[in-house]
Amino acid sequence: KNFCMLRFIYLLLIFGCDLNFVQGECPHTAPGCLDCCTVQRKFDTIEDRLTALEKLLKEFQIRLIKNENKTVIFSAVVGRFGTIGPFSTDTTLVCRRVITNIGNAYSRFSGIFTAPVPGVYYFTFFYHAGGECDAMLYLYRNYQLIVMTSDHSLRHDTADNGGNAVFLQLRKGDQVHVRMGANSHVWGSYRHTTFSGFLHVL
């Protein structure tokens, strides 16, 4: 549509000024009108720029579509009152109250994040706990321990806070979860304990 409009304006200029092309040479311009060769050059320049702009727009639209397909973001909190644990064995920490789950890669039933596409992901986990018992959280990729955060119990310590973060390169289908160590606990109330992550789009 833009090209058609420019051509229409160009024709109006040509006929309005009563210009004639004679064997590729430009006649004298009428008073107040542009030289036909100047008009032609400007028209060619505008057309080239529009073509380049249209190409850039198509590339940008393709990039947006790719990024939309790769949008993966989640954030969840434990969402239970009181303490979680202690348990006699290591237990997966399930954050049941989901705040954000774009891409639906995090399960609030199992507490496991499953990578829908390969890429580099960023994960964080934070906790609040009472000081009368150990607090130990481990972040796993599949069955591999990656990073952890912990605090030992102390009689005079009434509360503990901790967390950690990591970038992970994942394949499609890789799973990431937070596991609570045996004989440890975290505080579930007031949205203190969280698990979050997102796909880092390069």
Side-chain angles (χ1 to χ4, degrees):
K1 293 181 179 179
N2 291 329
F3 292 152
C4 293
M5 181 60 70
L6 286 172
R7 290 191 178 94
F8 177 71
I9 295 172
Y10 171 64
L11 290 174
L12 286 178
L13 288 171
I14 295 297
F15 290 109
C17 296
D18 195 23
L19 299 175
N20 297 309
F21 292 98
V22 181
Q23 296 179 353
E25 296 180 358
C26 294
H28 297 291
T29 58
C33 292
L34 293 174
D35 181 276
C36 63
C37 293
T38 302
V39 173
Q40 181 66 48
R41 286 194 298 271
K42 289 186 177 182
F43 175 77
D44 291 341
T45 300
I46 293 172
E47 191 169 27
D48 291 341
R49 289 180 179 177
L50 284 175
T51 301
L53 184 61
E54 186 179 29
K55 182 180 178 181
L56 287 174
L57 182 60
K58 288 181 179 179
E59 292 176 355
F60 181 70
Q61 289 173 337
I62 292 173
R63 186 174 299 177
L64 280 179
I65 293 172
K66 288 182 178 180
N67 287 342
E68 285 178 359
N69 292 335
K70 289 184 177 180
T71 301
V72 182
I73 302 172
F74 81 94
S75 191
V77 298
V78 169
R80 285 175 55 185
F81 291 101
T83 59
I84 311 300
F87 302 108
S88 58
T89 60
D90 290 0
T91 305
T92 298
L93 183 66
V94 180
C95 295
R96 300 187 183 280
R97 181 171 293 179
V98 176
I99 300 172
T100 303
N101 196 13
I102 301 174
N104 295 315
Y106 174 78
S107 170
R108 68 183 185 89
F109 302 104
S110 66
I112 296 174
F113 170 85
T114 304
V117 294
V120 176
Y121 292 78
Y122 181 70
F123 295 96
T124 64
F125 57 108
F126 298 95
Y127 75 88
H128 177 75
E132 72 280 0
C133 187
D134 290 346
M136 293 181 291
L137 293 182
Y138 309 102
L139 185 137
Y140 279 81
R141 175 179 58 195
N142 299 325
Y143 299 101
Q144 178 188 11
L145 174 62
I146 304 299
V147 293
M148 63 176 291
T149 180
S150 64
D151 202 313
H152 298 292
S153 62
L154 293 172
R155 291 183 179 179
H156 64 274
D157 189 7
T158 58
D160 294 316
N161 295 280
N164 213 331
V166 65
F167 282 98
L168 281 178
Q169 185 168 4
L170 303 180
R171 299 167 297 181
K172 181 179 180 180
D174 280 349
Q175 295 185 331
V176 177
H177 68 280
V178 176
R179 192 173 296 176
M180 189 165 54
N183 302 314
S184 68
H185 81 298
V186 295
W187 189 249
S189 302
Y190 306 110
R191 309 191 184 196
H192 283 298
T193 304
T194 65
F195 179 33
S196 304
F198 67 89
L199 172 63
H200 180 62
V201 180
L202 302 176

